[in-house]
Amino acid sequence: MNELAIPGLPEYAFGGDYNPEQWPESVWQEDMALMREAGVNLVTVGVFSWAKLQPTENTWSFEWLDRVLDLCHANGIKVDLATATASPPPWLGLKYPSTLAVDETGVRMAWGARQHFSPSSSVFKKFSLALVEKMVERYAEHPAVVMWHVGNEYGAHTHRCFSEESADAFRAWLITKYGDVDTLNERWGTAFWSQWYSNWDEVMPPRKTVYFPNPAQQLDFKRFSSDAMLELYKAEVEVIRQRVGRQIPITTNFMRFFPHADYWKWSENIDVISDDWYPDLADPESHIEGAMGADLMRSLGAGRPWFLMEQAPSAINWREVNPAKPKNAYRRWSLQQAAHGADGILHFQWRASVRGAEKWHSGMLPHSGTDTAVWREVSRLGQDLKKLKPLLGAKSDSQIALLLDWSSWWALELDSRPSTRLTQMEALLDYYRPLAQAGYSVDFAHPEQDLSRYKLVIAPSLYLISDLGIERIRAASAGGTNIVFGKFSGAVDAEEGVRVGGHLMGLRDVFGCYTEEWHPLVAGQTEEVLIGSNRGEVSGWTEHIRLLPGSAIEGTFSTGDLAGLPAIVSKTSEKSKAWYLGCTPNRDMIASLLEAICIQSGAAPVLYSVPQGVEVTKRSNENGSFLFLLNHTGVEQSIEIGQASVDLISAESFVGAVTVGAGEVRVLHLP
Ligand code: GLA
């Protein structure tokens, strides 16, 4: 039996958020009929239903939800049941203002939108857990419910709170971490600017200050805020698990590269990793981010199948301009998520709302009804995904990992840096893009995990590395894994203190070099790097690198202040090789460098000789291997796959070369 993300749903999952409380019951029957027509087999119910379930502090109303779940069950539609805690009702805020989040200036948030709760509010926790108790009591055994959905997009709107109660919780978190205030003083460097604390009561969240707040305080507050939300999530999970058995998984929906929650830590507590993806249609490279985010989700679940929990069938409503999805994009990007390990494709939302802030957000069932392009595309996808059943649970095998650590990301993007123009996303994309374009399967990994199974580990920019991270990287390198570090890496320890004695401390012998001084470039400034006889351009960042014994110069600055000094250095050790890139190479330069590095590392792409703009991924399980060919170009493409295959969706057979229409996708079964 293949590994199923949801044991109670042995099919490829397809569906979306279903918010029937927005509609008269007479519409529900039609919903069911149309869901069946579109191939929907899973709906997420109740995400924003708290006020309808508990209209006042002492009244409850579950009958309508009983009828919804029974109706779903009667129609063979499974339910991912939300705990309904994502948007507290107005009465809670009115009677208990301490449940409302407070911003850094001391302003308390009002109800009237959603997710306005303070993660550290004990009253919010009490009321939300009481709701979860009721939900679980009533629906633990409901035959339609195959998964529980805790909260919704934790941190999307409120990711931190500066209230008195949050300050207390932050202090408690710090006491657990540091033990005594002197240790905190030392780790935060409070000798600076007279910030020294004589007792815990003086320690605050980084509220509005006149100038840069202490960076270690900011970093710890980010960690604390992620943990505070995670504690809430875990408290709900605990209530659910008191009555619900392990065969029913629990999830909460992530937001890809979301900057406010440490998803490595979160994912340890989530049975089915699920994710929401709303590509920016103004970005011509949305498909690169589409692949990168999906790879992150697969990696967060250690390779387990994950779910695309939300996407829009067409337009969204929250960017400046919200176009309809371009032709074929909805289908191709959906299947792209399957190509990278998703075993469920769901949407926000089933039926487009007619009132409220999201009425111009597309739904699977548009305002204009079923005689629409959106409906036809949705139903076509729903029917086609049924045919992907054989690939459920299929895994990908990546030989390359990109390192991502939220602490390092947070520290990199604080204020008071050598350059505030560096972003973690840009650094990741700089390296992910050429690897994806060359057809490599890429995992994401945390620097503190065992990295030794990879042939090549790349840290596009790992500004902060803990002592354990250094140990893991050294161990992987000693064991035969090749390592690449990009700019501004290895600068600070876990609490953002500089590791003195030349940057890259702890890893200097691995790379055969260290950085004496950072040389960020100003906007518009570019410099040149010579690699052999090739000239490459760098922008944004350069470094004054110093060589250590045993190193080799791979690239040299040929212009600017650093002309004649190394820009890229490598060192070959007994079992592996390591490269340090002290610059931001332009696209061509990084692509050719990585190509050479992959070859030297013995990493192989999924397929060789794939036309540009065609993405290829492979998943395998006991039914064989499945090759996804995604044509992101506007013309038909032919790809030589070197063996016989059958398209799972169209049932066409191929002997060697396979054609893929413009913007189309094939899912080939290689028996
Ligand atoms: C998020 C939320 C949904 C909805 C969509 C709109 O993903 O989880 O409730 O608001 O955004 O794009």
Side-chain angles (χ1 to χ4, degrees):
M1 185 66 176
N2 294 340
E3 179 179 343
L4 294 174
I6 302 182
L9 184 62
E11 293 163 30
Y12 199 97
F14 182 70
D17 277 27
Y18 180 37
N19 298 305
E21 67 269 39
Q22 294 177 18
W23 305 89
E25 291 203 26
S26 53
V27 173
W28 299 358
Q29 286 292 350
E30 187 193 49
D31 284 334
M32 294 297 128
L34 289 175
M35 281 180 194
R36 287 207 316 267
E37 187 182 318
V40 167
N41 55 17
L42 183 69
V43 287
T44 303
V45 177
V47 174
F48 299 110
S49 302
W50 191 343
K52 285 277 182 184
L53 294 170
Q54 190 182 7
T56 70
E57 184 171 346
N58 299 310
T59 52
W60 298 89
S61 152
F62 285 104
E63 297 70 22
W64 69 270
L65 186 54
D66 296 348
R67 292 196 291 281
V68 171
L69 297 191
D70 292 349
L71 202 56
C72 287
H73 182 56
N75 284 276
I77 293 160
K78 300 294 183 192
V79 172
D80 166 36
L81 186 58
T83 54
T85 53
S87 191
W91 60 259
L92 189 73
L94 183 64
K95 183 156 177 202
Y96 303 99
S98 70
T99 60
L100 302 167
V102 172
D103 76 4
E104 63 269 49
T105 66
V107 173
R108 206 169 270 287
M109 298 297 112
W111 55 93
R114 64 175 175 186
Q115 206 184 72
H116 42 276
F117 58 84
S118 161
S120 298
S121 159
S122 52
V123 177
F124 173 75
K125 190 169 176 181
K126 185 182 103 188
F127 278 97
S128 57
L129 294 187
L131 171 62
V132 181
E133 292 266 5
K134 291 261 185 203
M135 294 287 285
V136 170
E137 211 173 276
R138 199 160 183 114
Y139 301 118
E141 315 286 332
H142 197 287
V145 178
V146 292
M147 181 154 74
W148 283 79
H149 184 105
V150 174
N152 190 62
E153 290 193 342
Y154 277 89
H157 312 302
T158 303
H159 56 267
R160 52 196 193 150
C161 170
F162 297 81
S163 68
E164 284 309 312
E165 200 172 359
S166 295
D168 285 341
F170 182 41
R171 264 175 234 122
W173 185 94
L174 292 167
I175 290 169
T176 307
K177 176 167 177 178
Y178 295 112
D180 56 78
V181 80
D182 281 345
T183 308
L184 174 136
N185 278 317
E186 194 267 314
R187 299 300 290 169
W188 282 15
T190 57
F192 184 79
W193 281 351
S194 182
Q195 291 171 355
W196 188 82
Y197 299 108
S198 68
N199 71 67
W200 285 108
D201 294 343
E202 297 164 5
V203 182
M204 293 287 164
R207 291 182 177 144
K208 185 94 181 118
T209 47
V210 291
Y211 195 40
F212 301 135
N214 181 302
Q217 175 196 18
Q218 294 190 62
L219 178 59
D220 269 343
F221 191 63
K222 285 175 188 283
R223 290 173 170 140
F224 156 78
S225 299
S226 171
D227 285 358
M229 295 187 287
L230 178 56
E231 285 314 309
L232 266 186
Y233 166 83
K234 281 162 64 177
E236 290 201 23
V237 167
E238 209 174 293
V239 173
I240 297 169
R241 279 291 171 235
Q242 278 164 15
R243 296 187 76 133
V244 173
R246 290 261 152 211
Q247 78 288 357
I248 306 215
I250 301 176
T251 192
T252 186
N253 42 348
F254 284 167
M255 292 158 279
R256 310 239 126 172
F257 290 87
F258 179 63
H260 304 298
D262 179 348
Y263 281 165
W264 289 116
K265 224 170 161 182
W266 277 72
S267 50
E268 289 164 16
N269 301 282
I270 294 174
D271 300 324
V272 176
I273 300 292
S274 71
D275 183 55
D276 301 346
W277 181 43
Y278 293 97
D280 182 355
L281 302 182
D283 173 5
E285 291 190 326
S286 280
H287 63 286
I288 303 282
E289 270 194 59
M292 185 163 101
D295 284 345
L296 176 65
M297 291 306 128
R298 188 190 63 241
S299 306
L300 288 171
R304 298 196 306 277
W306 59 280
F307 273 33
L308 183 70
M309 184 57 83
E310 287 185 25
Q311 66 162 342
S314 187
I316 56 158
N317 69 309
W318 42 264
R319 289 199 174 96
E320 192 182 1
V321 178
N322 296 297
K325 272 194 178 160
K327 189 163 180 262
N328 288 332
Y330 162 68
R331 177 180 175 78
R332 190 172 68 256
W333 291 344
S334 298
L335 287 165
Q336 182 191 40
Q337 306 307 295
H340 290 263
D343 277 358
I345 303 288
L346 293 96
H347 306 73
F348 181 84
Q349 59 177 330
W350 161 247
R351 190 187 274 269
S353 301
V354 287
R355 293 178 196 280
E358 289 180 331
K359 58 182 166 293
W360 299 121
H361 191 293
S362 60
M364 299 168 80
L365 179 55
H367 295 140
S368 306
T370 51
D371 184 14
T372 51
V374 166
W375 176 257
R376 279 185 284 274
E377 280 300 291
V378 164
S379 338
R380 178 178 169 218
L381 184 67
Q383 296 309 335
D384 286 348
L385 289 176
K386 287 186 200 300
K387 302 175 190 158
L388 300 194
K389 187 169 176 176
L391 71 66
L392 292 180
K395 302 268 182 348
S396 309
D397 180 28
S398 307
Q399 300 165 330
I400 303 173
L402 291 192
L403 296 186
L404 171 65
D405 173 3
W406 262 264
S407 280
S408 182
W409 178 357
W410 289 328
L412 175 74
E413 296 182 9
L414 291 175
D415 44 35
S416 64
R417 315 288 86 186
S419 168
T420 48
R421 290 171 171 264
L422 302 187
T423 69
Q424 188 68 73
M425 272 310 277
E426 204 170 281
L428 292 176
L429 271 165
D430 281 348
Y431 285 75
Y432 183 88
R433 181 188 298 113
L435 292 170
Q437 285 171 339
Y440 291 97
S441 175
V442 176
D443 276 355
F444 283 85
H446 190 280
E448 291 178 356
Q449 80 186 57
D450 179 3
L451 301 166
S452 56
R453 73 180 187 83
Y454 295 106
K455 292 191 168 169
L456 175 62
V457 165
I458 303 174
S461 186
L462 194 60
Y463 168 66
L464 174 156
I465 315 183
S466 66
D467 294 347
L468 179 57
I470 289 177
E471 231 176 83
R472 295 287 197 208
I473 290 159
R474 296 188 69 85
S477 164
T481 298
N482 284 355
I483 312 280
V484 173
F485 264 37
K487 64 178 174 214
F488 204 26
S489 285
V492 295
D493 65 22
E495 274 69 52
E496 238 253 328
V498 176
R499 293 184 187 275
V500 290
H503 308 308
L504 271 185
M505 211 41 170
L507 291 164
R508 294 163 46 148
D509 56 323
V510 173
F511 294 99
C513 65
Y514 66 92
T515 296
E516 178 182 314
E517 191 180 6
W518 316 116
H519 283 240
L521 303 183
V522 297
Q525 185 183 358
T526 57
E527 299 297 350
E528 209 176 73
V529 169
L530 271 182
I531 302 176
S533 55
N534 294 327
R535 286 171 195 283
E537 195 183 68
V538 301
S539 57
W541 190 266
T542 57
E543 297 179 15
H544 179 177
I545 296 177
R546 299 286 299 271
L547 300 177
L548 292 170
S551 60
I553 298 177
E554 303 266 347
T556 308
F557 291 113
S558 52
T559 61
D561 263 4
L562 299 174
L565 294 175
I568 302 163
V569 175
S570 71
K571 182 172 170 192
T572 305
S573 309
E574 205 184 318
K575 291 195 179 158
S576 66
K577 187 168 175 183
W579 291 259
Y580 187 77
L581 281 67
C583 53
T584 313
N586 72 5
R587 287 191 180 197
D588 290 345
M589 183 174 157
I590 189 75
S592 55
L593 272 167
L594 284 178
E595 193 186 346
I597 290 172
C598 287
I599 292 171
Q600 290 184 54
S601 305
V606 178
L607 266 188
Y608 287 94
S609 314
V610 174
Q612 254 211 337
V614 176
E615 182 182 346
V616 183
T617 73
K618 190 175 179 176
R619 296 180 61 183
S620 305
N621 63 12
E622 62 201 19
N623 295 327
S625 289
F626 303 88
L627 210 53
F628 284 76
L629 306 180
L630 301 121
N631 181 358
H632 297 292
T633 76
V635 292
E636 184 182 272
Q637 301 282 357
S638 169
I639 298 108
E640 179 53 62
I641 68 157
Q643 69 182 103
S645 64
V646 180
D647 186 328
L648 269 187
I649 293 175
S650 70
E652 289 161 89
S653 301
F654 300 93
V655 179
V658 179
T659 52
V660 190
E664 292 286 352
V665 181
R666 287 198 189 276
V667 187
L668 302 175
H669 187 196
L670 315 174

